[in-house]
Amino acid sequence: MRTSTTASDANDSTATYTSRELRKQAAKLEKRKLIEESGGIRPRAAVNSEEQGNKKSKRTKKKGVTYFEKGGQGKIIQEEKKHDVLQHRFGKVMSNVPCPKKPRTHTVSIALPGSIVDNCQTKELKTCLVGQIARAAAIYHIDEIVVFNDHLGTSKNDSCNFMAKILQYCECPQYLRKHFFPMDTDLQYVGVLSPLDAPHHVRVKERSKYREGVVLDKVGPHGGSCVNVGIGEKTKTVEFMDKFVLTAGIRCTVQMFDSNNTASKVYDSRHTQVKVVSPKAPTLEDGTYWGYQVRIADSIQQVFDDCPYEGGKYDLKVGTSERGDDVSHALNNDKKKLPRFQHMIMVFGGIAGIEECIDADESISIPGSQTRTLFDLWLNTCPHQGSRTIRTEEAVLISLARLRPFIEQNVAPAVSQSSVVVASEDIQFSDDASDESDDDANE
Protein backbone atom coordinates (compact mmCIF):
# COMPACT_ATOMS: atom_id res chain seq x y z
CA MET A 1 0.00 0.00 0.00
CA ARG A 2 1.46 3.31 -1.03
CA THR A 3 1.26 6.44 1.13
CA SER A 4 0.72 9.85 -0.38
CA THR A 5 2.72 12.91 0.68
CA THR A 6 0.64 16.03 1.29
CA ALA A 7 1.72 19.65 0.83
CA SER A 8 1.70 20.26 4.58
CA ASP A 9 4.13 17.38 5.15
CA ALA A 10 6.47 18.79 2.53
CA ASN A 11 6.40 22.21 4.14
CA ASP A 12 7.16 20.71 7.58
CA SER A 13 10.16 18.78 6.23
CA THR A 14 11.48 21.89 4.48
CA ALA A 15 11.19 23.90 7.68
CA THR A 16 12.95 21.19 9.68
CA TYR A 17 15.79 21.04 7.13
CA THR A 18 16.16 24.83 7.19
CA SER A 19 16.31 24.97 10.99
CA ARG A 20 18.90 22.17 11.06
CA GLU A 21 21.14 24.04 8.64
CA LEU A 22 20.81 27.21 10.69
CA ARG A 23 21.88 25.36 13.83
CA LYS A 24 24.89 23.90 11.99
CA GLN A 25 25.95 27.30 10.74
CA ALA A 26 25.61 28.78 14.23
CA ALA A 27 27.69 25.94 15.72
CA LYS A 28 30.42 26.42 13.10
CA LEU A 29 30.60 30.14 13.81
CA GLU A 30 30.79 29.50 17.55
CA LYS A 31 33.54 26.90 17.07
CA ARG A 32 35.52 29.24 14.81
CA LYS A 33 35.26 31.94 17.45
CA LEU A 34 36.55 29.58 20.16
CA ILE A 35 39.48 28.52 17.98
CA GLU A 36 40.47 32.16 17.47
CA GLU A 37 40.25 32.85 21.19
CA SER A 38 42.26 29.73 22.14
CA GLY A 39 45.25 30.53 19.95
CA GLY A 40 44.43 28.20 17.08
CA ILE A 41 43.91 25.14 19.31
CA ARG A 42 40.66 23.25 18.99
CA PRO A 43 38.75 23.23 22.30
CA ARG A 44 38.37 19.84 23.89
CA ALA A 45 36.48 18.69 26.95
CA ALA A 46 38.74 18.40 29.99
CA VAL A 47 38.78 15.22 32.05
CA ASN A 48 38.37 17.16 35.27
CA SER A 49 38.33 20.72 36.45
CA GLU A 50 42.07 20.71 37.22
CA GLU A 51 43.02 19.71 33.68
CA GLN A 52 40.56 22.28 32.34
CA GLY A 53 42.24 24.97 34.42
CA ASN A 54 45.67 23.93 33.12
CA LYS A 55 44.45 24.08 29.54
CA LYS A 56 43.00 27.55 30.07
CA SER A 57 46.27 28.81 31.47
CA LYS A 58 48.17 27.42 28.47
CA ARG A 59 45.73 29.01 26.08
CA THR A 60 46.07 32.42 27.70
CA LYS A 61 49.83 32.21 27.25
CA LYS A 62 49.47 31.55 23.53
CA LYS A 63 46.74 34.16 23.10
CA GLY A 64 47.70 37.10 20.94
CA VAL A 65 49.28 35.06 18.13
CA THR A 66 46.47 32.99 16.72
CA TYR A 67 46.33 30.67 13.76
CA PHE A 68 44.44 33.24 11.74
CA GLU A 69 46.81 36.10 12.64
CA LYS A 70 49.61 34.01 11.13
CA GLY A 71 47.80 34.26 7.83
CA GLY A 72 46.43 30.74 7.97
CA GLN A 73 49.90 29.16 8.07
CA GLY A 74 49.97 26.92 11.10
CA LYS A 75 53.49 25.55 10.65
CA ILE A 76 54.50 26.22 14.23
CA ILE A 77 51.36 24.60 15.58
CA GLN A 78 51.85 21.57 13.36
CA GLU A 79 55.44 21.18 14.56
CA GLU A 80 54.27 21.36 18.17
CA LYS A 81 51.73 18.63 17.51
CA LYS A 82 54.40 16.39 15.99
CA HIS A 83 56.37 16.51 19.22
CA ASP A 84 53.25 15.70 21.23
CA VAL A 85 52.64 12.41 19.42
CA LEU A 86 54.65 10.39 21.97
CA GLN A 87 53.08 12.09 24.98
CA HIS A 88 50.60 10.62 27.43
CA ARG A 89 48.95 12.03 30.53
CA PHE A 90 51.83 10.89 32.76
CA GLY A 91 54.82 11.72 30.56
CA LYS A 92 56.50 10.94 27.27
CA VAL A 93 56.93 7.51 25.76
CA MET A 94 60.59 6.43 25.69
CA SER A 95 61.84 7.32 22.20
CA ASN A 96 65.51 6.43 22.78
CA VAL A 97 67.04 3.45 24.55
CA PRO A 98 68.78 4.53 27.79
CA CYS A 99 72.57 4.59 27.52
CA PRO A 100 74.80 3.72 30.52
CA LYS A 101 77.19 6.55 29.52
CA LYS A 102 80.22 4.47 30.52
CA PRO A 103 82.33 1.95 28.59
CA ARG A 104 81.55 -1.76 28.98
CA THR A 105 84.35 -4.20 28.25
CA HIS A 106 82.93 -7.43 29.67
CA THR A 107 80.60 -9.75 27.73
CA VAL A 108 77.63 -11.86 28.80
CA SER A 109 76.61 -14.99 26.87
CA ILE A 110 73.77 -17.45 27.25
CA ALA A 111 73.59 -21.05 26.01
CA LEU A 112 70.43 -23.11 25.59
CA PRO A 113 69.45 -26.27 23.70
CA GLY A 114 67.66 -26.09 20.37
CA SER A 115 65.37 -28.96 21.40
CA ILE A 116 63.14 -26.61 23.40
CA VAL A 117 61.24 -25.73 20.21
CA ASP A 118 60.31 -29.40 19.71
CA ASN A 119 57.81 -29.02 22.56
CA CYS A 120 55.75 -26.55 20.48
CA GLN A 121 52.87 -27.89 18.41
CA THR A 122 53.12 -25.56 15.40
CA LYS A 123 55.81 -23.62 13.59
CA GLU A 124 54.11 -20.37 14.56
CA LEU A 125 54.43 -21.22 18.27
CA LYS A 126 58.07 -22.18 17.71
CA THR A 127 58.72 -18.81 16.11
CA CYS A 128 57.06 -16.97 19.00
CA LEU A 129 59.12 -18.92 21.54
CA VAL A 130 62.39 -17.97 19.86
CA GLY A 131 61.17 -14.38 19.61
CA GLN A 132 60.71 -14.27 23.40
CA ILE A 133 64.31 -15.38 23.89
CA ALA A 134 65.53 -12.74 21.43
CA ARG A 135 63.60 -10.05 23.29
CA ALA A 136 65.04 -11.16 26.63
CA ALA A 137 68.57 -11.11 25.20
CA ALA A 138 68.13 -7.56 23.91
CA ILE A 139 66.56 -6.27 27.13
CA TYR A 140 69.41 -7.59 29.30
CA HIS A 141 72.34 -6.74 26.96
CA ILE A 142 73.34 -10.26 25.95
CA ASP A 143 76.34 -10.28 23.62
CA GLU A 144 76.21 -13.91 22.44
CA ILE A 145 73.59 -16.64 22.19
CA VAL A 146 74.85 -20.21 21.82
CA VAL A 147 72.36 -22.80 20.56
CA PHE A 148 73.66 -26.29 21.33
CA ASN A 149 72.46 -29.76 20.41
CA ASP A 150 71.65 -31.71 23.57
CA HIS A 151 70.97 -34.94 21.56
CA LEU A 152 67.65 -35.29 23.37
CA GLY A 153 65.30 -33.86 20.75
CA THR A 154 63.39 -35.66 18.03
CA SER A 155 65.43 -34.05 15.23
CA LYS A 156 69.19 -33.80 14.92
CA ASN A 157 70.23 -30.25 14.02
CA ASP A 158 66.99 -28.97 12.47
CA SER A 159 65.82 -27.41 15.73
CA CYS A 160 69.17 -25.72 16.32
CA ASN A 161 69.28 -24.32 12.79
CA PHE A 162 65.69 -23.11 13.06
CA MET A 163 66.33 -21.33 16.36
CA ALA A 164 69.59 -19.77 15.17
CA LYS A 165 67.95 -18.48 11.98
CA ILE A 166 65.08 -16.81 13.85
CA LEU A 167 67.49 -15.27 16.37
CA GLN A 168 69.64 -13.86 13.57
CA TYR A 169 66.58 -12.51 11.79
CA CYS A 170 65.39 -10.71 14.93
CA GLU A 171 68.82 -9.17 15.55
CA CYS A 172 69.27 -7.89 11.99
CA PRO A 173 68.05 -4.30 11.36
CA GLN A 174 64.90 -4.20 9.27
CA TYR A 175 66.42 -2.43 6.27
CA LEU A 176 69.11 -5.13 5.94
CA ARG A 177 66.95 -8.23 6.18
CA LYS A 178 66.17 -8.40 2.46
CA HIS A 179 69.92 -8.63 1.74
CA PHE A 180 70.69 -11.50 4.12
CA PHE A 181 67.50 -13.55 4.43
CA PRO A 182 66.06 -15.06 1.25
CA MET A 183 62.66 -16.74 1.10
CA ASP A 184 62.61 -19.60 3.61
CA THR A 185 59.89 -21.74 5.15
CA ASP A 186 61.51 -21.25 8.57
CA LEU A 187 60.75 -17.53 8.27
CA GLN A 188 57.10 -18.07 7.39
CA TYR A 189 55.75 -16.59 10.66
CA VAL A 190 58.32 -13.94 11.50
CA GLY A 191 55.63 -11.33 10.93
CA VAL A 192 54.09 -12.17 14.32
CA LEU A 193 57.32 -11.41 16.19
CA SER A 194 57.69 -8.29 18.30
CA PRO A 195 60.62 -6.11 17.14
CA LEU A 196 63.70 -5.86 19.33
CA ASP A 197 63.78 -2.07 18.91
CA ALA A 198 67.44 -2.15 19.96
CA PRO A 199 69.80 0.83 19.56
CA HIS A 200 71.33 -0.58 16.37
CA HIS A 201 67.87 -0.78 14.78
CA VAL A 202 68.10 2.88 13.80
CA ARG A 203 65.07 4.36 12.09
CA VAL A 204 65.19 6.11 8.72
CA LYS A 205 64.99 9.69 9.98
CA GLU A 206 66.81 9.03 13.25
CA ARG A 207 70.36 10.27 13.64
CA SER A 208 72.94 8.00 15.23
CA LYS A 209 76.71 8.11 15.44
CA TYR A 210 76.94 4.44 14.42
CA ARG A 211 74.88 2.37 12.00
CA GLU A 212 74.75 -1.11 10.54
CA GLY A 213 75.12 -1.38 6.78
CA VAL A 214 75.65 -3.72 3.85
CA VAL A 215 78.34 -3.11 1.23
CA LEU A 216 76.93 -2.67 -2.26
CA ASP A 217 78.48 -3.59 -5.59
CA LYS A 218 78.96 0.07 -6.40
CA VAL A 219 81.77 2.64 -6.16
CA GLY A 220 81.11 6.21 -5.05
CA PRO A 221 82.38 9.44 -6.61
CA HIS A 222 85.41 9.51 -4.29
CA GLY A 223 86.52 5.95 -5.12
CA GLY A 224 85.21 4.19 -2.05
CA SER A 225 82.64 1.40 -1.84
CA CYS A 226 79.03 2.41 -1.30
CA VAL A 227 77.15 1.03 1.68
CA ASN A 228 73.45 0.97 2.47
CA VAL A 229 72.95 2.21 6.02
CA GLY A 230 69.23 2.92 5.77
CA ILE A 231 69.25 6.72 5.77
CA GLY A 232 67.25 9.00 3.52
CA GLU A 233 64.14 8.18 1.58
CA LYS A 234 65.58 8.04 -1.93
CA THR A 235 69.33 8.18 -1.32
CA LYS A 236 69.98 5.30 1.09
CA THR A 237 73.66 4.81 0.27
CA VAL A 238 76.77 6.49 1.60
CA GLU A 239 80.45 6.09 0.71
CA PHE A 240 83.46 4.84 2.65
CA MET A 241 86.15 7.38 3.48
CA ASP A 242 89.72 7.29 2.14
CA LYS A 243 88.71 5.26 -0.95
CA PHE A 244 88.11 2.22 1.24
CA VAL A 245 86.85 -0.80 -0.75
CA LEU A 246 85.15 -3.92 0.61
CA THR A 247 83.61 -7.03 -0.91
CA ALA A 248 79.97 -6.51 -1.85
CA GLY A 249 77.35 -8.21 0.30
CA ILE A 250 79.20 -7.93 3.62
CA ARG A 251 77.49 -6.56 6.71
CA CYS A 252 79.56 -4.07 8.70
CA THR A 253 79.32 -1.47 11.45
CA VAL A 254 80.13 2.08 10.33
CA GLN A 255 80.74 5.41 12.04
CA MET A 256 78.98 8.41 10.51
CA PHE A 257 80.84 11.58 9.48
CA ASP A 258 79.37 14.89 8.35
CA SER A 259 80.39 17.02 5.38
CA ASN A 260 83.37 18.34 7.37
CA ASN A 261 84.65 14.78 8.02
CA THR A 262 83.76 15.10 11.70
CA ALA A 263 82.18 12.22 13.61
CA SER A 264 78.73 13.48 14.56
CA LYS A 265 75.09 12.52 14.93
CA VAL A 266 74.12 15.56 12.84
CA TYR A 267 74.70 14.80 9.17
CA ASP A 268 73.10 15.15 5.79
CA SER A 269 72.37 11.92 3.93
CA ARG A 270 73.47 13.54 0.66
CA HIS A 271 76.90 14.58 1.98
CA THR A 272 77.91 11.79 4.33
CA GLN A 273 80.90 9.47 4.46
CA VAL A 274 81.43 6.57 6.81
CA LYS A 275 84.31 4.61 8.29
CA VAL A 276 84.27 0.90 9.14
CA VAL A 277 84.65 0.21 12.86
CA SER A 278 84.44 -2.81 15.10
CA PRO A 279 80.93 -3.95 16.11
CA LYS A 280 82.10 -3.44 19.70
CA ALA A 281 82.85 0.24 19.15
CA PRO A 282 79.53 1.63 20.49
CA THR A 283 79.74 -0.55 23.60
CA LEU A 284 83.36 0.30 24.27
CA GLU A 285 82.64 4.00 23.86
CA ASP A 286 79.67 4.55 26.17
CA GLY A 287 78.11 1.15 26.86
CA THR A 288 75.50 1.32 24.07
CA TYR A 289 74.07 -2.13 23.42
CA TRP A 290 74.77 -3.20 19.83
CA GLY A 291 73.08 -6.58 19.41
CA TYR A 292 74.17 -10.18 19.88
CA GLN A 293 76.02 -12.84 17.92
CA VAL A 294 74.56 -16.31 17.33
CA ARG A 295 76.62 -19.51 17.43
CA ILE A 296 75.65 -23.18 17.01
CA ALA A 297 77.43 -25.87 19.03
CA ASP A 298 77.16 -29.60 18.31
CA SER A 299 77.33 -30.48 22.02
CA ILE A 300 77.41 -28.79 25.39
CA GLN A 301 81.16 -29.39 25.55
CA GLN A 302 81.64 -27.34 22.38
CA VAL A 303 79.83 -24.47 24.04
CA PHE A 304 82.93 -23.98 26.20
CA ASP A 305 85.61 -25.23 23.80
CA ASP A 306 84.66 -22.94 20.90
CA CYS A 307 84.58 -19.70 22.84
CA PRO A 308 85.15 -16.91 20.26
CA TYR A 309 86.61 -14.36 22.67
CA GLU A 310 90.22 -13.58 23.39
CA GLY A 311 91.84 -16.34 25.43
CA GLY A 312 89.43 -18.96 24.08
CA LYS A 313 87.53 -19.51 27.33
CA TYR A 314 84.83 -18.11 29.57
CA ASP A 315 86.24 -17.08 32.94
CA LEU A 316 82.83 -17.30 34.69
CA LYS A 317 80.48 -20.22 34.01
CA VAL A 318 77.03 -20.17 35.56
CA GLY A 319 74.70 -23.17 35.46
CA THR A 320 70.99 -22.92 36.20
CA SER A 321 68.98 -25.75 37.72
CA GLU A 322 66.12 -26.29 40.13
CA ARG A 323 68.61 -28.41 42.12
CA GLY A 324 71.10 -25.56 42.33
CA ASP A 325 71.93 -23.25 45.21
CA ASP A 326 69.46 -20.53 46.11
CA VAL A 327 70.71 -17.40 44.36
CA SER A 328 69.80 -15.20 47.34
CA HIS A 329 72.08 -17.30 49.59
CA ALA A 330 74.83 -18.10 47.06
CA LEU A 331 75.51 -14.42 46.38
CA ASN A 332 74.84 -13.25 49.92
CA ASN A 333 78.52 -12.95 50.78
CA ASP A 334 80.37 -10.07 52.35
CA LYS A 335 80.92 -8.31 49.03
CA LYS A 336 77.54 -9.35 47.53
CA LYS A 337 79.09 -9.52 44.08
CA LEU A 338 79.73 -12.03 41.35
CA PRO A 339 83.32 -13.15 40.89
CA ARG A 340 85.14 -10.67 38.68
CA PHE A 341 84.90 -11.74 35.04
CA GLN A 342 85.71 -10.68 31.50
CA HIS A 343 83.53 -13.18 29.64
CA MET A 344 80.56 -14.76 31.44
CA ILE A 345 78.24 -17.48 30.16
CA MET A 346 74.96 -18.76 31.59
CA VAL A 347 73.83 -22.24 30.53
CA PHE A 348 70.19 -23.30 30.53
CA GLY A 349 68.86 -26.82 30.16
CA GLY A 350 65.92 -28.16 28.23
CA ILE A 351 62.84 -29.93 29.51
CA ALA A 352 64.91 -32.47 31.47
CA GLY A 353 67.55 -29.99 32.68
CA ILE A 354 71.29 -29.62 32.18
CA GLU A 355 71.99 -32.91 33.95
CA GLU A 356 70.36 -34.90 31.15
CA CYS A 357 72.39 -32.96 28.59
CA ILE A 358 75.61 -33.92 30.38
CA ASP A 359 74.61 -37.58 30.47
CA ALA A 360 73.84 -37.56 26.74
CA ASP A 361 77.17 -35.89 25.82
CA GLU A 362 79.73 -38.64 25.25
CA SER A 363 82.63 -36.19 25.19
CA ILE A 364 82.12 -35.39 28.90
CA SER A 365 83.34 -38.07 31.25
CA ILE A 366 81.49 -37.05 34.39
CA PRO A 367 77.92 -38.26 35.08
CA GLY A 368 74.91 -35.97 35.22
CA SER A 369 74.83 -36.11 39.02
CA GLN A 370 78.15 -34.20 39.12
CA THR A 371 77.13 -31.47 36.68
CA ARG A 372 77.76 -28.71 39.21
CA THR A 373 81.51 -29.40 39.01
CA LEU A 374 81.57 -27.98 35.45
CA PHE A 375 80.43 -24.54 36.60
CA ASP A 376 81.78 -21.83 38.84
CA LEU A 377 78.25 -21.13 40.11
CA TRP A 378 75.38 -23.61 40.23
CA LEU A 379 72.27 -21.55 40.91
CA ASN A 380 68.54 -21.87 41.36
CA THR A 381 67.29 -18.45 40.28
CA CYS A 382 63.64 -19.14 41.15
CA PRO A 383 63.42 -20.99 44.49
CA HIS A 384 60.05 -21.98 45.93
CA GLN A 385 58.46 -21.91 42.49
CA GLY A 386 54.70 -22.17 42.28
CA SER A 387 54.72 -24.47 39.25
CA ARG A 388 56.18 -27.94 38.86
CA THR A 389 58.14 -26.83 35.83
CA ILE A 390 59.69 -23.60 34.53
CA ARG A 391 60.01 -23.39 30.79
CA THR A 392 63.40 -22.46 29.34
CA GLU A 393 62.20 -19.15 27.87
CA GLU A 394 60.82 -18.29 31.32
CA ALA A 395 64.04 -19.34 33.03
CA VAL A 396 66.03 -17.04 30.74
CA LEU A 397 63.98 -14.00 31.75
CA ILE A 398 63.96 -14.90 35.44
CA SER A 399 67.69 -15.64 35.66
CA LEU A 400 68.80 -12.56 33.75
CA ALA A 401 66.54 -10.36 35.86
CA ARG A 402 67.89 -11.82 39.12
CA LEU A 403 71.55 -11.53 38.10
CA ARG A 404 71.38 -8.19 36.30
CA PRO A 405 72.23 -6.06 39.39
CA PHE A 406 75.28 -8.24 40.09
CA ILE A 407 76.41 -8.19 36.45
CA GLU A 408 76.27 -4.37 36.36
CA GLN A 409 78.59 -4.22 39.38
CA ASN A 410 81.30 -6.15 37.54
CA VAL A 411 84.54 -4.29 36.88
CA ALA A 412 86.37 -5.98 34.02
CA PRO A 413 89.95 -5.24 32.95
CA ALA A 414 90.15 -2.14 30.77
CA VAL A 415 90.41 -2.47 27.00
CA SER A 416 92.51 0.02 25.08
CA GLN A 417 90.45 2.50 23.08
CA SER A 418 92.77 2.04 20.11
CA SER A 419 90.85 -1.12 19.27
CA VAL A 420 87.63 0.80 18.77
CA VAL A 421 88.51 1.92 15.22
CA VAL A 422 90.19 -0.98 13.48
CA ALA A 423 92.23 -1.40 10.37
CA SER A 424 90.88 -3.17 7.32
CA GLU A 425 92.90 -6.33 7.92
CA ASP A 426 91.52 -6.69 11.46
CA ILE A 427 87.83 -6.21 10.66
CA GLN A 428 85.52 -9.05 11.63
CA PHE A 429 82.18 -9.11 9.87
CA SER A 430 79.03 -10.64 11.24
CA ASP A 431 77.58 -12.06 8.02
CA ASP A 432 78.96 -13.92 5.05
CA ALA A 433 78.53 -12.60 1.54
CA SER A 434 76.99 -15.88 0.37
CA ASP A 435 73.89 -15.28 2.54
CA GLU A 436 72.79 -12.15 0.69
CA SER A 437 69.61 -11.99 -1.35
CA ASP A 438 67.68 -9.25 -3.09
CA ASP A 439 64.35 -10.87 -2.22
CA ASP A 440 62.21 -8.52 -0.17
CA ALA A 441 59.39 -10.90 0.55
CA ASN A 442 60.31 -11.33 4.20
CA GLU A 443 59.92 -7.66 5.01
Side-chain angles (χ1 to χ4, degrees):
M1 179 178 178
R2 295 183 179 180
T3 58
S4 59
T5 303
T6 62
S8 61
D9 294 338
N11 293 333
D12 293 341
S13 61
T14 303
T16 303
Y17 176 78
T18 305
S19 62
R20 187 185 301 115
E21 287 296 320
L22 291 175
R23 288 197 301 270
K24 285 185 177 180
Q25 292 294 335
K28 288 181 179 179
L29 292 175
E30 183 65 22
K31 189 173 183 180
R32 186 183 183 90
K33 182 179 179 181
L34 290 175
I35 293 176
E36 291 181 357
E37 293 176 354
S38 60
I41 301 176
R42 292 180 178 272
R44 301 182 185 277
V47 179
N48 48 44
S49 59
E50 181 180 358
E51 291 183 1
Q52 190 171 5
N54 293 335
K55 286 188 176 183
K56 286 183 178 180
S57 62
K58 291 181 180 178
R59 289 171 185 170
T60 54
K61 292 179 181 178
K62 295 183 179 180
K63 189 175 180 180
V65 183
T66 64
Y67 174 86
F68 301 97
E69 290 175 353
K70 294 174 184 177
Q73 297 179 359
K75 295 182 179 179
I76 300 178
I77 296 175
Q78 291 177 0
E79 291 178 0
E80 291 177 357
K81 289 184 177 180
K82 288 181 180 179
H83 293 291
D84 294 341
V85 172
L86 298 178
Q87 286 186 352
H88 290 282
R89 290 178 57 194
F90 302 101
K92 295 181 179 180
V93 177
M94 185 179 298
S95 57
N96 295 321
V97 181
C99 179
K101 300 297 183 182
K102 61 180 181 180
R104 178 171 69 89
T105 58
H106 65 265
T107 63
V108 180
S109 305
I110 60 174
L112 61 164
S115 61
I116 62 175
V117 300
D118 294 336
N119 199 32
C120 299
Q121 289 79 11
T122 64
K123 184 174 291 187
E124 184 176 0
L125 293 177
K126 293 180 181 180
T127 304
C128 292
L129 184 149
V130 181
Q132 294 179 26
I133 296 174
R135 286 279 302 171
I139 291 171
Y140 292 106
H141 293 206
I142 298 302
D143 302 288
E144 181 193 25
I145 302 179
V146 186
V147 183
F148 65 89
N149 187 358
D150 57 2
H151 302 284
L152 298 175
T154 56
S155 57
K156 295 182 179 180
N157 289 326
D158 294 342
S159 300
C160 296
N161 294 332
F162 174 83
M163 178 178 287
K165 191 177 299 182
I166 300 296
L167 289 173
Q168 290 175 335
Y169 182 89
C170 292
E171 190 275 337
C172 183
Q174 288 85 343
Y175 57 89
L176 297 181
R177 288 173 179 171
K178 64 181 179 180
H179 295 278
F180 298 107
F181 295 93
M183 286 289 293
D184 197 325
T185 55
D186 290 342
L187 303 176
Q188 181 178 0
Y189 296 104
V190 292
V192 303
L193 295 176
S194 300
L196 296 191
D197 211 8
H200 65 295
H201 288 200
V202 189
R203 297 175 175 87
V204 174
K205 296 183 180 180
E206 186 179 353
R207 292 297 180 253
S208 175
K209 188 175 180 179
Y210 298 96
R211 277 182 173 267
E212 290 292 298
V214 56
V215 182
L216 305 177
D217 190 10
K218 178 182 177 182
V219 179
H222 299 90
S225 297
C226 290
V227 54
N228 179 7
V229 294
I231 63 174
E233 298 179 356
K234 296 182 179 179
T235 307
K236 294 188 177 181
T237 62
V238 293
E239 185 182 355
F240 285 127
M241 298 178 61
D242 303 327
K243 300 182 180 180
F244 192 71
V245 179
L246 280 180
T247 305
I250 293 179
R251 176 180 168 181
C252 57
T253 305
V254 298
Q255 185 176 2
M256 310 299 296
F257 289 82
D258 59 14
S259 57
N260 297 324
N261 292 336
T262 304
S264 174
K265 291 184 179 180
V266 182
Y267 48 82
D268 183 4
S269 60
R270 295 171 299 176
H271 305 89
T272 304
Q273 288 188 314
V274 297
K275 178 181 292 186
V276 181
V277 297
S278 169
K280 301 178 183 178
T283 306
L284 292 175
E285 181 176 317
D286 57 5
T288 300
Y289 178 65
W290 209 251
Y292 55 78
Q293 302 291 329
V294 182
R295 177 166 64 92
I296 298 178
D298 189 54
S299 64
I300 193 171
Q301 181 63 42
Q302 284 191 2
V303 172
F304 309 113
D305 294 343
D306 297 342
C307 174
Y309 298 111
E310 185 178 358
K313 66 177 183 178
Y314 301 98
D315 48 4
L316 180 59
K317 305 173 185 176
V318 180
T320 58
S321 173
E322 59 184 8
R323 291 166 287 275
D325 302 329
D326 189 341
V327 65
S328 58
H329 299 311
L331 299 180
N332 191 18
N333 48 30
D334 295 336
K335 297 182 179 180
K336 293 185 179 180
K337 293 182 179 180
L338 287 170
R340 187 176 179 182
F341 67 90
Q342 180 67 47
H343 305 294
M344 169 185 170
I345 186 170
M346 295 181 62
V347 183
F348 299 89
I351 300 175
I354 303 179
E355 294 87 349
E356 291 292 336
C357 300
I358 298 299
D359 266 340
D361 192 347
E362 298 179 355
S363 61
I364 300 179
S365 58
I366 65 173
S369 57
Q370 300 179 12
T371 302
R372 68 165 56 230
T373 59
L374 292 176
F375 300 94
D376 301 309
L377 293 175
W378 184 245
L379 302 177
N380 180 8
T381 56
C382 187
H384 312 295
Q385 60 196 51
S387 175
R388 291 185 180 91
T389 58
I390 296 180
R391 299 173 64 88
T392 304
E393 65 271 19
E394 298 168 345
V396 171
L397 272 172
I398 295 170
S399 302
L400 293 177
R402 291 295 300 271
L403 295 182
R404 177 66 184 274
F406 301 99
I407 294 175
E408 288 183 339
Q409 295 175 3
N410 177 65
V411 180
V415 177
S416 61
Q417 291 297 323
S418 60
S419 61
V420 174
V421 180
V422 296
S424 58
E425 60 270 12
D426 298 329
I427 298 173
Q428 297 180 356
F429 302 101
S430 55
D431 291 277
D432 189 79
S434 60
D435 294 335
E436 66 170 304
S437 174
D438 292 333
D439 201 327
D440 195 19
N442 291 323
E443 284 294 291

